[in-house]
Amino acid sequence: MASSSVFLHRPDLSRIAFACRTNQTVGKSGKGRVSFLSNRRRRLPVVLSMTTTENSGGEAVKSGLPGNGISIMVNGCSGKMGKAVIKAADAAGVNIVPTSFGSAGESGQTVEVCGKEITVYGSTEREKVLSSVFEKHPELIVVDYTIPSAINDNAELYSKVGVPFVMGTTGGDRNKLYETVERAKIYAVISPQMGKQVVAFLAAMEIMAEQFPGAFSGYSLDVMESHQASKLDASGTAKAVISCFQDLGVSYDMDQIQLIRDPKQQIEMVGVPEEHVSGHAFHLYHLTSPDETVSFEFQHNVCGRSIYAEGTVDAVLFLAKKIRLKADQRIYNMIDVLREGNMR
């Protein structure tokens, strides 16, 4: 007879600190930000892990996983984020549909992830392919990690077919994206930041900015953020945090963000582990009082893509639950996922 054990656990939350700071010129900026606030009460979860002995059947183990009964189609499966999401979803017991959309150059190619061969389709016959997959897998949820230029066309397609989706791709025309999905009245989770803990930090910053406006009046702000060399623009997360500091009374120009993109600087100055130079997000916000006798630092360092992949899978599980409960067909975000209180 199979036996099992249940134990409480929590992840290793060790962090890596920036090695140095730099001074910057500060200015004024009046840019707004996306709000994460709500009056709903949060519930904090206790996470349980279950282990089974070797004589347990594979099907029994699979049926006990949170993603059992859910299928996903990951568009952009050949990219690093797409592959990371597939691995996280597979570990959660989610069924991976062997179909994906990619660029015209990728059409007809096969991508192997977690021992699964996924066929990539280009722009032709996308509606026919998606409709066929959705008919075969009525519990299907699409995950989008494609490219900014494809966001709006993809959203139009998902809305037309009526398939629920999680949009992790950033960029594109965001106003048009929301208008398209709201008009279609389908289930969707759309968020420019899928890292649950980072989203929680942003929400806390917004609460502080709303309740204590001007608390840091007169303080100067230095911001340094490091990402892989392929990321040419400033982090949207950094801009959101800076907007909160502006509401707290800090004068700062978004153009003053120090972007670190040189791998040598990232390793030697910032302290990014060499193996994560190609995929990381290190942010440091340093505040100094007018007389320079008081300073505050806020930082969040992310190595790899697992935090975003795990957040994406939680968004999939959240959306599947909403569908099963026949909740409102609307656009949800990662704050909604956080509030649900049942993240793994």
Side-chain angles (χ1 to χ4, degrees):
M1 180 178 294
S3 63
S4 64
S5 61
V6 181
F7 59 93
L8 294 175
H9 74 93
R10 61 181 178 181
D12 178 12
L13 296 179
S14 57
R15 65 191 178 99
I16 303 171
F18 273 113
C20 72
R21 304 191 292 270
T22 58
N23 292 323
Q24 297 172 312
T25 303
V26 296
K28 294 183 178 180
S29 175
K31 296 183 181 179
R33 65 175 190 278
V34 178
S35 178
F36 290 99
L37 298 175
S38 174
N39 292 324
R40 295 185 184 180
R41 181 177 298 174
R42 299 177 186 169
R43 293 171 292 161
L44 299 177
V46 173
V47 182
L48 297 179
S49 291
M50 295 202 64
T51 59
T52 55
T53 56
E54 290 185 355
N55 60 339
S56 298
E59 290 301 318
V61 173
K62 183 176 180 180
S63 65
L65 293 174
N68 183 50
I70 304 172
S71 293
I72 64 169
M73 172 181 173
V74 180
N75 290 333
C77 72
S78 61
K80 293 179 180 178
M81 265 310 306
K83 290 178 180 177
V85 169
I86 291 173
K87 291 177 182 177
D90 184 65
V94 175
N95 176 50
I96 312 299
V97 174
T99 305
S100 178
F101 294 152
S103 65
E106 295 173 321
S107 182
Q109 294 182 6
T110 299
V111 176
E112 185 173 341
V113 187
C114 295
K116 307 176 188 299
E117 293 188 348
I118 302 172
T119 302
V120 181
Y121 291 83
S123 57
T124 60
E125 298 185 325
R126 294 196 317 155
E127 183 178 342
K128 180 180 178 181
V129 170
L130 182 58
S131 297
S132 176
V133 171
F134 194 23
E135 182 177 358
K136 184 177 180 180
H137 303 277
E139 76 289 0
L140 181 72
I141 293 176
V142 172
V143 173
D144 192 298
Y145 272 105
T146 54
I147 56 176
S149 60
I151 283 179
N152 295 111
D153 285 343
N154 287 351
E156 290 278 2
L157 175 62
Y158 306 151
S159 298
K160 184 175 182 180
V161 176
V163 62
F165 69 92
V166 174
M167 177 67 75
T169 314
T170 59
D173 186 333
R174 306 305 282 191
N175 289 332
K176 182 180 179 181
L177 168 64
Y178 279 86
E179 289 172 0
T180 297
V181 182
E182 287 170 352
R183 185 170 59 249
K185 296 187 182 301
I186 62 173
Y187 291 101
V189 173
I190 300 176
S191 177
Q193 170 59 258
M194 302 301 292
K196 299 172 290 186
Q197 293 78 12
V198 178
V199 171
F201 170 67
L202 285 172
M205 287 296 303
E206 290 206 353
I207 291 171
M208 182 167 65
E210 181 185 56
Q211 296 189 8
F212 311 114
F216 285 93
S217 294
Y219 274 64
S220 60
L221 173 65
D222 295 330
V223 179
M224 181 165 63
E225 59 98 320
S226 175
H227 287 260
Q228 57 273 11
S230 59
K231 182 173 178 57
L232 303 179
D233 59 338
S235 164
T237 300
K239 290 180 179 179
V241 173
I242 291 168
S243 293
C244 292
F245 283 128
Q246 290 171 338
D247 286 346
L248 287 163
V250 177
S251 179
Y252 190 83
D253 190 332
M254 295 289 183
D255 293 335
Q256 298 303 311
I257 300 174
Q258 184 178 3
L259 309 181
I260 309 296
R261 298 293 183 268
D262 178 67
K264 184 177 179 181
Q265 284 187 323
Q266 291 171 340
I267 296 171
E268 297 178 357
M269 184 179 80
V270 180
V272 179
E274 188 171 357
E275 64 270 25
H276 292 297
V277 166
S278 63
H280 69 279
F282 279 35
H283 292 202
L284 177 66
Y285 312 90
H286 182 78
L287 293 153
T288 306
S289 66
D291 62 1
E292 299 185 350
T293 61
V294 181
S295 66
F296 290 84
E297 282 191 354
F298 299 79
Q299 72 175 52
H300 48 94
N301 300 342
V302 176
C303 291
R305 297 173 173 82
S306 61
I307 186 175
Y308 311 117
E310 290 294 335
T312 301
V313 173
D314 276 324
V316 168
L317 300 180
F318 165 87
L319 205 57
K321 180 179 178 181
K322 291 298 178 185
I323 295 169
R324 289 168 180 169
L325 293 176
K326 297 183 179 180
D328 292 340
Q329 290 180 269
R330 65 177 181 85
I331 298 173
Y332 296 91
N333 59 35
M334 286 302 290
I335 289 295
D336 296 312
V337 178
L338 283 167
R339 280 199 200 97
E340 198 70 12
N342 60 355
M343 297 183 301
R344 298 165 298 122

